[in-house]
Amino acid sequence: MDTESKSSRVNIHTDFQTRRLYANDASSYEELPEGVAFPISPEEIISLVHYANKHNQSITARGAGTSLAGQTTGGGIIMDVGRNMNKILDIDPQKKTADVQPGVIRDTLNREAGKHDLLFGPDTATTNRCMIGGMIGNNSCGIFSIKHQTTREHLLELETVLSDGSQVRFKALTEEELSAKMKLDSLEGKIYREMVELIRNHREAILDNYPHPEIIRRNTGYALDRLCEMQPFNPDGRKFNLAELLCGSEGTLAMTTRAKLNLLPKDSERVMVVPHFPSIRKAMEATVEAVKMEPAAVELVDDIILDATKGNIEQRNNRFFLEGNPKGILIIQFEGNNRKILEQKARNLADRLDKSGHSDTAPIITENDKIERVWNLRKAGLGLLMGLGSKGRTPTFSEDTAVRVADLPDYIDDFQRILDKHNSDCVFYAHASVGELHLRPVINLQEPEEIEKMKTMAEEIADLVRRYRGSLSGEHGDGRARAPYIEKVLGSDMMPLLKKVKQIWDPNNIFNPGKIVDPKPMEADLRYSPSYHRPQVDTHFNWRKEESFADAVELCNGAGVCRKLSESGGTMCPSYMATREEKDSTRGRANLFRQLFSGRDKEAFQSEELNDALDLCLSCKACKSECPANVDMARMKAEFKQGWHEEHRITLGERFFAQAGKLYPIASRFPRLSNWMMKQPAVKELLQQLLGIDKRRDLPAFAESTFMEWFANRPQNDIPETDPHNEVVLLIDIFTNYHEPGIGKAAIRFLESQEYTVIVPDIHEIGRPQISKGMLGHAKTVLDDTLATLSAFASQEIPIVGLEPSETLTIRDEYLDLCDDDQLQTAQQVADHTYTFEEFSANLVQESPKSDPRQKVYVQTHCHAQSLIGSSSIKGALQQAGYQVQIMDAGCCGMAGSFGYERNHYDVSMDVGELRLFPALRSLPEDALICAPGFSCRHQIKDGTNRKAFHPAQILTNIFD
């Protein structure tokens, strides 16, 4: 239920599902809040602050929830500003500034700023979902911090709500303005008076104890050292601006409602060089040399992450630049407006590293699309670690330390000695250019002795950072993980000052308590701990790759890649893109899986909360490739729905869509009558009431005769002579057979034109609808029959080709996990010989005189194909046939099998289509040739844009009937 206080006008969601969804961020922590609020204005935040003071509740501000140190977990009220306070209020190209609300996503801002050739410089690995409010809270920096430094350097003004509910704007002040502020009889005045007094009394001690000023990324404790640099304490310093203190304060001092940011001109050119190294030490020594040449970025990626890219479908394609098996690489980018100068810099650096013996391989990359692919691989680093299973579940207690660049080689050696002492491995990656590496020792938090090891290592690493006068946090913040060790790094004299700052700003301790000062022990509230109960349930899928169902539900680490918006590209997660609700993201669903199954086991299959969260999952499988951890939510949904159905009846609608093959033969006997009836309003109303089929949809029409009827009755003289030893099996799915036999006919013509003898087995169901509906017992029966038939062909090396991508790829994907152990070898053999029509035809097509080489084909790739095999095959086949091919990055069409036909999904289905696909298609010329291999995609395109799309077989043969 929701709790609402009319007097304070605040709406706090207290239902269990919402609270569970906001119990985690991307850190190692899990803390169930009392409630969640989604304010729409500064006034609602003021109301929330008054409510918190009245009811002794805390408020933890949250954007995308990508924090790694537990800053956005809390036991009070979580305040999500991303849902509603996400507007760009103004961009001033002349002044080069932007006014934004805290929920604006960084990439969204840069898309708009880019229209004026401007950008907001800080570039974290999470820019497609992280929000400006969160970047301010953590003082985010990112890949290009050697060039753009931190968020703090680009923050001009902050509008905030203070802990008493007053609204205050913080900006640079002259000494006269500062004096006036100090005279105010308000919390604002008190803050100015007491902060000035604190700095004046302790300036020398602060500067002596804080991290070395040469370290760009220093974010330990409150930024008192930054205030020491300002007027009036430093006559030559910049104007006094408390916004710099709030930046990096992790939401513990004030709530941001609006920010004014500095924008920079965009450079027009960039060149990348990627030296490979036999050791991390060599890479660190090379970093010292590289920064002398003024690069825009120098990023380290080690062999653990590079190896993890091999198992990720999307990142595997981004390994094109790698040579051999380096221990680590540096990704070095030069930026400017003169390409020749940049290329010369890259060559000079590569030559210097070669002659010095640091690296003998350093590919130079100049094409923008390839440069983006390298950065995509780098940005996937954190999530890729989770793809390593339990070994990748590395806690983030020490992964944000920063030292001077010149100290990096020795610092890394000392860090390695700590690892060796504790017999621990470590992942090394991140921002070498500014002395920061994300060092993540491998710790198993479910073992008590490992918890003690983590605490001991945290103490020793903090001592090491202190010895180098480094920063315990470079950009991710102190949070739950590092706050207990701030005293070791800054010294005991600084802790009273930090506590004083908190007391000045937030005397009732309502803003994100326990972060920075007065923290809980770092081992409290861990997501995984010795008390965590791993799920133990019998499942229908074998979860062979993941090793168990428990491992599958634990894959997600909360990085939140699934929360990117549609305009960021890709497909994951279409329902979240449409609703922007956490429960509709892969992360939200994965968190519910883990929380509900831990300790409840089989009982969790009856969870209404999880059933509701899975309702809008389109089973598109984009998460299987785009999620760095390879979370396969489509498969998890199918497993859950099977368990759900074991206790709840399967609805008539689910049975209809999962077992349509039983009804089709009847309806197809009288196609004209069936088609007429399905268009009648009364019948549509009945279908909506009985089967849940939305009456706004037209069901696919039945053909006058089926494909199988045509194939069985083909005149002998209509069959060309083919090589009887050159055979191919063509799978005719029920959609092709009953609705679109012309596609099957076109495929036959094409295969026979390539001198293949085509075999059409009596198989029309592969099991895809049954799997999608969570009827895995039925799917297993289909699997048994299908394998029995197809194994005879596969054993003879006869290729098996399918026309419908989702059906065909089920054989290569789910079959290998749904089959019994004694069937696995057969299933693998069949999978190895099964191809989509596009894959098989790509190597067969020759230049066709029928096609106009100037004609362009726009391709909407099927989601399953895009996730599992990509779009290179369909592009290659059509290009070989003489067409110009444009693969549309338009995301999911929104139909997803039966999903878009269902009454409770129709609106979301159309919303997904409207995100990118429909607008893109409407912008095409009226005579544009559109290709969509998926049956559902073609029908969604027709319903959403009134355009006709064709199967590749029709385009390759120019048979469009």
Side-chain angles (χ1 to χ4, degrees), residues 27 100 243 420 451 634:
S27 73
V100 301
D420 293 341
I451 296 281

Side-chain angles (χ1 to χ4, degrees), residues 178-192:
L178 175 60
S179 178
K181 290 285 188 183
M182 294 172 66
K183 295 174 182 178
L184 294 174
D185 184 19
S186 63
L187 178 57
E188 180 185 9
K190 177 176 182 289
I191 287 171
Y192 276 106

Side-chain angles (χ1 to χ4, degrees), residues 708-746:
M708 296 303 287
E709 290 170 346
W710 170 84
F711 187 73
N713 297 306
R714 288 177 75 190
Q716 195 63 34
N717 59 9
D718 193 36
I719 305 174
E721 289 189 16
T722 56
D723 184 350
H725 302 293
N726 197 26
E727 296 178 314
V728 62
V729 172
L730 182 64
L731 299 178
I732 301 296
D733 53 272
I734 60 172
F735 314 112
T736 300
N737 186 43
Y738 291 103
H739 297 304
E740 297 181 332
I743 292 174
K745 296 174 187 178

